[in-house]
Amino acid sequence: LGHELCGAVKAAQSAAHMPQEELEQEPSALERVLKAIKAGLGTESLQHLQDSRAHDREAVTENVRRQVERLARDEGVMNKVQQQELMVVGAFYEISSGIVDFFHEISVPSPSPREMEEQQQEEEVLEEEVQEEEQKEEEKDEEENIESKWDRLSSRVVVRIQSECVLALKEPSLQDKFKAVAKRCFPDKFKYSQAI
């Protein structure tokens, strides 16, 4: 973000006319900053501007462009941009009006139509696989649920029939018939009928 009436850019513009020896006498950190800004101020777009405000604005926006381009060469920054964790955008803040003008964005390039189609196909295949897996799980759960319900139901039925028979049927011959029927219908549950 550059801003209107930027002192650093004005100093770099002054440094543009300063002899190299004089610039090198500045503190090293300031010298590096001034040289970096100065490098972007020799563009043709600045040489033809007569209005000092327009010249200053163009100098600041040119510096912002250069800084954005410098960030675009940084591998760490670009990794974050590729992973869509970071956007790099240049901007100019006009202090007098409060307006911020955004420009020169570095972002992930849009995929080609072919890449988009391939990505969509991959997503569809993955979605189908997920749905198939979910359906298998549901079927398995349903089978286990049905089996469990049947076990509980059949056990209750046998116990209930046995209880009612014991109460209602006092004759041993009818109880023997019930045991024979229960043994045929519910062989694995017959243990309940042993209590009769």
Side-chain angles (χ1 to χ4, degrees), residues 45-104:
S45 61
L46 293 176
Q47 294 172 1
H48 301 294
L49 294 173
Q50 300 300 316
D51 181 57
S52 63
R53 256 179 101 97
H55 186 273
D56 289 347
R57 178 187 168 95
E58 190 61 31
V60 170
T61 56
E62 186 59 36
N63 180 49
V64 170
R65 278 189 197 91
R66 297 276 179 170
Q67 299 308 318
V68 169
E69 288 167 4
R70 187 178 62 78
L71 288 171
R73 291 188 299 270
D74 184 290
E75 189 176 324
V77 170
M78 290 312 293
N79 284 340
K80 295 288 186 186
V81 170
Q82 291 294 331
Q83 295 169 4
Q84 296 183 344
E85 295 177 13
L86 177 70
M87 279 179 55
V88 179
V89 181
F92 177 80
Y93 174 49
E94 190 174 75
I95 296 171
S96 59
S97 68
I99 294 173
V100 177
D101 182 20
F102 294 94
F103 59 93
H104 203 56

Side-chain angles (χ1 to χ4, degrees), residues 16-167:
H17 305 293
M18 189 182 293
Q20 186 68 23
E21 303 83 37
E22 218 175 293
L23 188 60
E24 291 172 354
Q25 291 176 1
E26 298 292 338
S28 62
L30 178 59
E31 178 189 356
R32 280 194 310 272
V33 170
L34 291 175
K35 283 182 176 180
I37 295 173
K38 181 181 170 182
L41 297 179
T43 62
E44 290 183 28
S45 61
L46 293 176
Q47 294 172 1
H48 301 294
L49 294 173
Q50 300 300 316
D51 181 57
S52 63
R53 256 179 101 97
H55 186 273
D56 289 347
R57 178 187 168 95
E58 190 61 31
V60 170
T61 56
E62 186 59 36
N63 180 49
V64 170
R65 278 189 197 91
R66 297 276 179 170
Q67 299 308 318
V68 169
E69 288 167 4
R70 187 178 62 78
L71 288 171
R73 291 188 299 270
D74 184 290
E75 189 176 324
V77 170
M78 290 312 293
N79 284 340
K80 295 288 186 186
V81 170
Q82 291 294 331
Q83 295 169 4
Q84 296 183 344
E85 295 177 13
L86 177 70
M87 279 179 55
V88 179
V89 181
F92 177 80
Y93 174 49
E94 190 174 75
I95 296 171
S96 59
S97 68
I99 294 173
V100 177
D101 182 20
F102 294 94
F103 59 93
H104 203 56
E105 177 183 332
I106 305 271
S107 59
V108 178
S110 299
S112 69
R114 182 179 177 172
E115 290 171 328
M116 288 175 64
E117 185 179 329
E118 288 172 357
Q119 184 178 0
Q120 186 175 358
Q121 288 173 350
E122 288 173 8
E123 288 172 2
E124 288 172 0
V125 166
L126 183 62
E127 180 66 27
E128 286 175 14
E129 289 173 357
V130 168
Q131 286 177 352
E132 286 175 10
E133 201 59 39
E134 286 175 352
Q135 187 172 354
K136 286 178 184 176
E137 285 295 319
E138 286 176 13
E139 289 171 359
K140 182 180 174 188
D141 289 347
E142 191 174 328
E143 286 175 13
E144 289 174 358
N145 194 17
I146 289 171
E147 193 173 301
S148 176
K149 283 182 180 178
W150 174 252
D151 286 347
R152 288 193 312 270
L153 179 63
S154 62
S155 295
R156 283 190 299 223
V157 167
V158 168
V159 170
R160 184 168 180 175
I161 291 172
Q162 289 173 344
S163 299
E164 288 181 17
C165 286
V166 168
L167 294 174

